[in-house]
Amino acid sequence: MRIAIFIHLPEHLNFEFLESYAKFFIHIPTGEDFPVTLNILVAGIIVFIQAVIFNRIVNNHGLLAKPSFLPALLYITGASLFEPFLILSPTLICNFMLILIMDKLLKIGKSPNAIMLMFDIGIFIAFGTLIYFPFVVMLLLIWLALLLYRSFHWREWVSGLVGFLSIFFFLAVFYYLNDNIGMFYKIWLPLKNKFPSTFQIQYNDYLVLVPVGIMMVLAIVQLRENFFRSFISTRKAFQLLFFMFLIAILSFYTKPDFKLYHFLLCVPPGAVLLAYYFSNATKRWFYESLFLILVLAIQYFLFV
């Protein structure tokens, strides 16, 4: 999946793993002098590790008809859609957090007490926000998951926010001790951004999404047909993953200068939906042809 970028190596790649407000607190060298080839290789290794963890989580929670390697396959495929997905980026690192959050959220319905689970999720979201600010919008998932899985318990609703704030409390103290508390307040200003009403899109660059869109529609149709025949936990899990997918897309508004790699956050929930379609599809010639078209389309648009 990365043949094209190795053949046409970029001259220079720059990546930064932390937001500007976190750099003031944590000093990590930038990747300006990181060799391009090593950058791409490390990104590929990270995607492979994430795919293995992701595959295990999906199978452990029984989201598909039977255990398989489909989630890992589709995760790697989805993480190769665009050239910015193939290099090191903040969202690539945040996907570790998102996969762990997914695992924790899917455990809520099976746990007698979700306070600690919510607290852990809040901490994961805080760490992700230090790396990439739009990740803060994932806080909505905490309360959506509680609405889906549990009756109202105020401690569970508060514990996730407490976990999130516990990390940023230390950041606030550091800013205060360095007489920069005003900068801490500015961190949250992007949350007030207005959602853009117009978009400038080069449609030719996104034609590769056509087969993905067809697969997503087929997955939703398949899910709808099996919805009331599935276990209640499975229904709720897919509803939660759908909300995660939407939040990952819409969170770009918090970063006006967002880059295409932002949508790498859509890969984990999207890969589960696609894996569900392929695990339940009956016409083998059709779904194998569709997947082949997707792979060829990815390679074609990466080369051109």
Side-chain angles (χ1 to χ4, degrees):
M1 301 300 285
R2 295 167 186 265
I3 296 173
I5 197 169
F6 277 114
I7 293 176
H8 303 292
L9 282 175
E11 293 182 3
H12 178 73
L13 290 175
N14 184 25
F15 66 93
E16 296 180 353
F17 286 135
L18 294 172
E19 290 284 4
S20 56
Y21 52 79
K23 291 177 190 173
F24 187 73
F25 180 57
I26 306 170
H27 299 286
I28 294 180
T30 60
E32 294 180 358
D33 299 324
F34 208 51
V36 173
T37 304
L38 188 58
N39 182 310
I40 299 168
L41 281 173
V42 171
I45 293 169
I46 290 174
V47 168
F48 179 79
I49 294 171
Q50 288 175 345
V52 172
I53 299 170
F54 174 75
N55 194 86
R56 183 176 180 182
I57 289 171
V58 173
N59 287 331
N60 285 348
H61 290 285
L63 297 182
L64 305 182
K66 58 183 179 180
S68 70
F69 290 102
L70 273 173
L73 172 64
L74 291 162
Y75 183 92
I76 292 173
T77 305
S80 307
L81 279 173
F82 301 104
E83 187 174 313
F85 287 12
L86 304 177
I87 60 178
L88 289 174
S89 64
T91 49
L92 181 61
I93 306 304
C94 281
N95 269 355
F96 275 117
M97 307 295 173
L98 193 58
I99 291 169
L100 293 174
I101 289 169
M102 182 187 296
D103 184 35
K104 295 283 185 182
L105 289 173
L106 293 173
K107 290 178 180 177
I108 293 175
K110 305 170 186 175
S111 176
N113 190 332
I115 293 176
M116 289 309 299
L117 283 173
M118 294 294 101
F119 184 83
D120 291 344
I121 292 169
I123 288 178
F124 289 146
I125 294 173
F127 280 125
T129 305
L130 291 176
I131 297 169
Y132 187 63
F133 181 77
F135 203 76
V136 68
V137 184
M138 291 295 168
L139 276 172
L140 294 174
L141 275 176
I142 293 177
W143 300 305
L144 286 170
L146 288 172
L147 282 172
L148 281 170
Y149 283 99
R150 311 197 49 100
S151 57
F152 181 77
H153 193 295
W154 71 269
R155 288 185 178 87
E156 294 177 350
W157 281 69
V158 171
S159 59
L161 189 60
V162 171
F164 179 84
L165 294 177
S166 63
I167 300 299
F168 276 87
F169 172 77
F170 292 108
L171 187 63
V173 169
F174 187 83
Y175 271 93
Y176 177 76
L177 293 176
N178 286 273
D179 296 323
N180 278 297
I181 195 65
M183 290 179 62
F184 180 77
Y185 295 137
K186 291 179 181 178
I187 292 173
W188 313 105
L189 293 180
L191 291 174
K192 297 167 61 177
N193 290 347
K194 292 182 179 180
F195 197 83
S197 57
T198 58
F199 300 93
Q200 294 182 349
I201 298 175
Q202 297 291 332
Y203 292 101
N204 291 338
D205 295 337
Y206 299 97
L207 288 176
V208 69
L209 292 178
V210 172
V212 177
I214 294 172
M215 290 179 190
M216 291 295 286
V217 170
L218 292 172
I220 293 171
V221 171
Q222 187 77 53
L223 191 59
R224 182 176 174 274
E225 290 177 355
N226 298 335
F227 192 73
F228 292 105
R229 288 182 285 176
S230 305
F231 292 111
I232 294 175
S233 59
T234 305
R235 297 181 212 166
K236 291 181 177 181
F238 278 99
Q239 288 174 333
L240 182 64
L241 291 169
F242 179 72
F243 286 126
M244 182 184 288
F245 185 78
L246 287 182
I247 290 171
I249 293 175
L250 299 178
S251 60
F252 77 89
Y253 89 95
T254 61
K255 204 172 183 68
D257 59 339
F258 79 96
K259 296 180 173 59
L260 187 59
Y261 61 61
H262 168 87
F263 298 103
L264 199 55
L265 294 173
C266 301
V267 172
V272 181
L273 293 173
L274 294 179
Y276 183 85
Y277 164 68
F278 282 101
S279 66
N280 288 278
T282 54
K283 295 181 180 179
R284 183 173 179 177
W285 67 269
F286 180 76
Y287 67 74
E288 287 187 353
S289 300
L290 197 58
F291 183 75
L292 180 61
I293 290 170
L294 174 61
V295 172
L296 293 176
I298 291 172
Q299 292 304 311
Y300 174 77
F301 286 106
L302 285 176
F303 271 106
V304 298

